[in-house]
Amino acid sequence: MAAQKTLLFVGYGSMAKAIVSGIACSALKDTYRLEIAGRNPQKAQEFIKENHIEAFGKVYGGSSEIDVIGKIVILCIKPYALGNFTYKGKADSVYSVMAGVCMDTLKQHIRADHYARLMPNVGAKYQKSSTAVYLEGDIQEEAQKIIASFGSVVFVDSETLVDASIATGGSSPAFLALIAQALVDAGVREGLRRDDSLKLVRATFEGFAHLLSEQTPDTIIASITSPGGTTIEGLSVLEDRAVRGALIQACHMAVAKAKQKH
Ligand SMILES: NC(=O)c1ccc[n+]([C@@H]2O[C@H](COP(=O)([O-])OP(=O)(O)OC[C@H]3O[C@@H](n4cnc5c(N)ncnc54)[C@H](OP(=O)(O)O)[C@@H]3O)[C@@H](O)[C@H]2O)c1
């Protein structure tokens, strides 16, 4: 039997939790041995307990040098915390989820044969992340397996496109939440009770997710705008108020902010 590879998580916050729970729910749980590193060993132990991680290796505290030799290292810390850890040896590969931290910076901090930058989003909590990935090195098959355990994977051709995916995945759940909030208020304005309105909007988003998985946005719009009908009345108001342009600009500013951190 081939020796188990080690997945070493640096960080035990919400992103680490989402990824670990994806792995724990998949066949990968028997493929990899897990290790946790962070500045607070007690928090790392709590993370292990809370996530029911049965098989794990060493827990590293912040003051220890982290042994990365031959391991797959998943960096799930805040970008400014990168310099707070020191690493011993050369890793097999480094996967970084840190927004705005470029490959060159990663290479200065941790040695590895392969590097990957990925931009997951909050959907990872339910194994429904939308994740853009850029790789350096021949690890596409393994990266696909690991990242698909917490959602959908799109491999992109350049590092800047990982930052670009802040528009389509990283920040967009917040923008969609704003739209959901507005729709709930709209229901209330039209006389629905707030809890009923929220229930109806949730169901709309759920149904919409299914529609979007099979159809383009254009087709969905065309299918519910009959000539001279009610929906086109509403759409013409949104176009008049340039809602589309505002969303594109909002995404652009979010991406620009992440790039500033390089
Ligand atoms: N959440 C998302 O939707 C999302 C999406 C895409 C990318 N990301 C990226 O994922 C990374 C982690 O985000 P998160 O949402 O998991 O954040 P989080 O829940 O706040 O976890 C942050 C982690 O970083 C550690 N950390 C913070 N400051 C530190 C310091 N000064 N020294 C050492 N460790 C420190 C924390 O340890 P302590 O608890 O001990 O402070 C914790 O393990 C970030 O780089 C973010 O850009 C997040």
Short mmCIF file of all heavy atoms in Angstrom, two decimals, residues 161-190:
data_model
loop_
_atom_site.label_atom_id
_atom_site.label_comp_id
_atom_site.label_asym_id
_atom_site.label_seq_id
_atom_site.Cartn_x
_atom_site.Cartn_y
_atom_site.Cartn_z
N LEU A 161 -5.85 35.98 -12.80
CA LEU A 161 -7.24 35.53 -12.94
C LEU A 161 -7.79 34.93 -11.64
O LEU A 161 -9.00 34.86 -11.46
CB LEU A 161 -7.37 34.54 -14.11
CG LEU A 161 -7.06 35.14 -15.48
CD1 LEU A 161 -7.17 34.09 -16.59
CD2 LEU A 161 -7.98 36.33 -15.79
N VAL A 162 -6.89 34.52 -10.75
CA VAL A 162 -7.36 34.07 -9.42
C VAL A 162 -7.92 35.29 -8.69
O VAL A 162 -9.00 35.24 -8.10
CB VAL A 162 -6.21 33.41 -8.61
CG1 VAL A 162 -6.65 33.11 -7.19
CG2 VAL A 162 -5.76 32.13 -9.29
N ASP A 163 -7.19 36.41 -8.77
CA ASP A 163 -7.71 37.65 -8.16
C ASP A 163 -9.00 38.08 -8.86
O ASP A 163 -9.95 38.53 -8.21
CB ASP A 163 -6.68 38.78 -8.27
CG ASP A 163 -5.42 38.48 -7.47
OD1 ASP A 163 -5.55 37.93 -6.36
OD2 ASP A 163 -4.32 38.76 -7.97
N ALA A 164 -9.04 37.89 -10.20
CA ALA A 164 -10.23 38.29 -10.96
C ALA A 164 -11.47 37.54 -10.45
O ALA A 164 -12.58 38.08 -10.45
CB ALA A 164 -10.02 38.00 -12.45
N SER A 165 -11.27 36.31 -9.96
CA SER A 165 -12.42 35.50 -9.53
C SER A 165 -13.02 35.99 -8.21
O SER A 165 -14.04 35.45 -7.77
CB SER A 165 -12.04 34.02 -9.44
OG SER A 165 -11.28 33.80 -8.28
N ILE A 166 -12.43 37.01 -7.63
CA ILE A 166 -13.08 37.67 -6.48
C ILE A 166 -14.42 38.23 -6.97
O ILE A 166 -15.41 38.27 -6.24
CB ILE A 166 -12.16 38.77 -5.92
CG1 ILE A 166 -11.04 38.10 -5.15
CG2 ILE A 166 -12.91 39.78 -5.05
CD1 ILE A 166 -9.94 39.03 -4.69
N ALA A 167 -14.46 38.63 -8.25
CA ALA A 167 -15.70 39.15 -8.85
C ALA A 167 -16.77 38.07 -8.96
O ALA A 167 -17.94 38.31 -8.66
CB ALA A 167 -15.40 39.73 -10.24
N THR A 168 -16.37 36.88 -9.35
CA THR A 168 -17.37 35.84 -9.63
C THR A 168 -17.63 34.93 -8.43
O THR A 168 -18.63 34.21 -8.42
CB THR A 168 -16.89 34.97 -10.81
OG1 THR A 168 -15.53 34.55 -10.52
CG2 THR A 168 -16.91 35.73 -12.11
N GLY A 169 -16.71 34.93 -7.46
CA GLY A 169 -16.88 34.00 -6.35
C GLY A 169 -16.56 34.57 -4.99
O GLY A 169 -17.37 34.47 -4.07
N GLY A 170 -15.38 35.15 -4.84
CA GLY A 170 -14.89 35.58 -3.51
C GLY A 170 -15.84 36.57 -2.84
O GLY A 170 -16.33 36.34 -1.74
N SER A 171 -16.12 37.68 -3.53
CA SER A 171 -16.95 38.74 -2.92
C SER A 171 -18.42 38.64 -3.31
O SER A 171 -19.27 39.22 -2.63
CB SER A 171 -16.45 40.12 -3.38
OG SER A 171 -15.16 40.35 -2.88
N SER A 172 -18.71 37.94 -4.40
CA SER A 172 -20.08 38.01 -4.93
C SER A 172 -21.16 37.46 -3.99
O SER A 172 -22.30 37.95 -4.07
CB SER A 172 -20.17 37.39 -6.32
OG SER A 172 -19.64 36.11 -6.32
N PRO A 173 -20.88 36.51 -3.08
CA PRO A 173 -21.98 36.13 -2.16
C PRO A 173 -22.50 37.33 -1.36
O PRO A 173 -23.69 37.40 -1.06
CB PRO A 173 -21.33 35.08 -1.24
CG PRO A 173 -20.25 34.47 -2.09
CD PRO A 173 -19.71 35.61 -2.92
N ALA A 174 -21.62 38.28 -1.04
CA ALA A 174 -22.08 39.48 -0.30
C ALA A 174 -22.99 40.32 -1.19
O ALA A 174 -23.99 40.88 -0.73
CB ALA A 174 -20.89 40.30 0.18
N PHE A 175 -22.64 40.42 -2.49
CA PHE A 175 -23.47 41.22 -3.39
C PHE A 175 -24.84 40.55 -3.61
O PHE A 175 -25.87 41.21 -3.67
CB PHE A 175 -22.76 41.43 -4.74
CG PHE A 175 -21.37 42.03 -4.59
CD1 PHE A 175 -20.36 41.75 -5.50
CD2 PHE A 175 -21.06 42.87 -3.53
CE1 PHE A 175 -19.08 42.28 -5.35
CE2 PHE A 175 -19.79 43.41 -3.36
CZ PHE A 175 -18.80 43.12 -4.28
N LEU A 176 -24.80 39.22 -3.69
CA LEU A 176 -26.07 38.50 -3.85
C LEU A 176 -26.91 38.62 -2.58
O LEU A 176 -28.15 38.69 -2.65
CB LEU A 176 -25.81 37.02 -4.17
CG LEU A 176 -25.20 36.77 -5.55
CD1 LEU A 176 -24.87 35.29 -5.73
CD2 LEU A 176 -26.14 37.23 -6.66
N ALA A 177 -26.23 38.65 -1.42
CA ALA A 177 -26.97 38.81 -0.15
C ALA A 177 -27.67 40.16 -0.12
O ALA A 177 -28.79 40.28 0.38
CB ALA A 177 -26.02 38.65 1.03
N LEU A 178 -27.00 41.18 -0.69
CA LEU A 178 -27.61 42.51 -0.74
C LEU A 178 -28.87 42.48 -1.62
O LEU A 178 -29.90 43.06 -1.28
CB LEU A 178 -26.57 43.48 -1.32
CG LEU A 178 -26.92 44.94 -1.33
CD1 LEU A 178 -25.96 45.69 -0.41
CD2 LEU A 178 -26.78 45.51 -2.73
N ILE A 179 -28.80 41.74 -2.72
CA ILE A 179 -29.97 41.62 -3.58
C ILE A 179 -31.08 40.85 -2.85
O ILE A 179 -32.25 41.23 -2.88
CB ILE A 179 -29.58 40.96 -4.92
CG1 ILE A 179 -28.73 41.96 -5.71
CG2 ILE A 179 -30.82 40.51 -5.72
CD1 ILE A 179 -28.14 41.45 -6.98
N ALA A 180 -30.69 39.77 -2.15
CA ALA A 180 -31.68 39.00 -1.40
C ALA A 180 -32.36 39.88 -0.35
O ALA A 180 -33.59 39.84 -0.18
CB ALA A 180 -31.01 37.79 -0.73
N GLN A 181 -31.55 40.70 0.32
CA GLN A 181 -32.08 41.61 1.35
C GLN A 181 -33.11 42.56 0.74
O GLN A 181 -34.19 42.78 1.29
CB GLN A 181 -30.89 42.42 1.86
CG GLN A 181 -30.94 42.90 3.27
CD GLN A 181 -29.63 43.61 3.61
OE1 GLN A 181 -29.04 44.31 2.77
NE2 GLN A 181 -29.17 43.43 4.81
N ALA A 182 -32.76 43.10 -0.43
CA ALA A 182 -33.66 44.04 -1.11
C ALA A 182 -34.97 43.34 -1.51
O ALA A 182 -36.06 43.93 -1.40
CB ALA A 182 -32.98 44.64 -2.34
N LEU A 183 -34.87 42.09 -1.95
CA LEU A 183 -36.07 41.37 -2.37
C LEU A 183 -36.98 41.08 -1.17
O LEU A 183 -38.22 41.16 -1.29
CB LEU A 183 -35.71 40.07 -3.09
CG LEU A 183 -35.01 40.25 -4.45
CD1 LEU A 183 -34.61 38.89 -5.03
CD2 LEU A 183 -35.90 41.00 -5.44
N VAL A 184 -36.36 40.78 -0.02
CA VAL A 184 -37.17 40.55 1.20
C VAL A 184 -37.91 41.85 1.55
O VAL A 184 -39.12 41.85 1.80
CB VAL A 184 -36.29 40.07 2.38
CG1 VAL A 184 -37.10 40.02 3.67
CG2 VAL A 184 -35.68 38.70 2.09
N ASP A 185 -37.19 42.98 1.51
CA ASP A 185 -37.83 44.27 1.79
C ASP A 185 -38.93 44.57 0.77
O ASP A 185 -40.00 45.10 1.13
CB ASP A 185 -36.80 45.41 1.74
CG ASP A 185 -35.99 45.49 3.03
OD1 ASP A 185 -36.40 44.87 4.03
OD2 ASP A 185 -34.93 46.15 3.04
N ALA A 186 -38.68 44.21 -0.48
CA ALA A 186 -39.68 44.46 -1.52
C ALA A 186 -40.96 43.68 -1.21
O ALA A 186 -42.08 44.22 -1.35
CB ALA A 186 -39.12 44.04 -2.88
N GLY A 187 -40.79 42.43 -0.75
CA GLY A 187 -41.96 41.63 -0.38
C GLY A 187 -42.74 42.29 0.75
O GLY A 187 -43.98 42.37 0.72
N VAL A 188 -41.99 42.81 1.74
CA VAL A 188 -42.63 43.48 2.89
C VAL A 188 -43.38 44.73 2.39
O VAL A 188 -44.52 44.99 2.79
CB VAL A 188 -41.58 43.84 3.97
CG1 VAL A 188 -42.19 44.70 5.08
CG2 VAL A 188 -40.97 42.56 4.56
N ARG A 189 -42.73 45.45 1.49
CA ARG A 189 -43.38 46.68 0.96
C ARG A 189 -44.70 46.35 0.27
O ARG A 189 -45.65 47.13 0.32
CB ARG A 189 -42.43 47.38 -0.01
CG ARG A 189 -42.98 48.74 -0.42
CD ARG A 189 -42.17 49.40 -1.48
NE ARG A 189 -42.67 50.75 -1.71
CZ ARG A 189 -42.41 51.47 -2.78
NH1 ARG A 189 -41.62 50.98 -3.72
NH2 ARG A 189 -42.91 52.66 -2.90
N GLU A 190 -44.72 45.17 -0.35
CA GLU A 190 -45.95 44.79 -1.05
C GLU A 190 -46.96 44.12 -0.12
O GLU A 190 -48.01 43.70 -0.56
CB GLU A 190 -45.61 43.85 -2.23
CG GLU A 190 -44.72 44.48 -3.30
CD GLU A 190 -45.27 45.80 -3.86
OE1 GLU A 190 -46.50 45.89 -4.08
OE2 GLU A 190 -44.48 46.74 -4.06
#
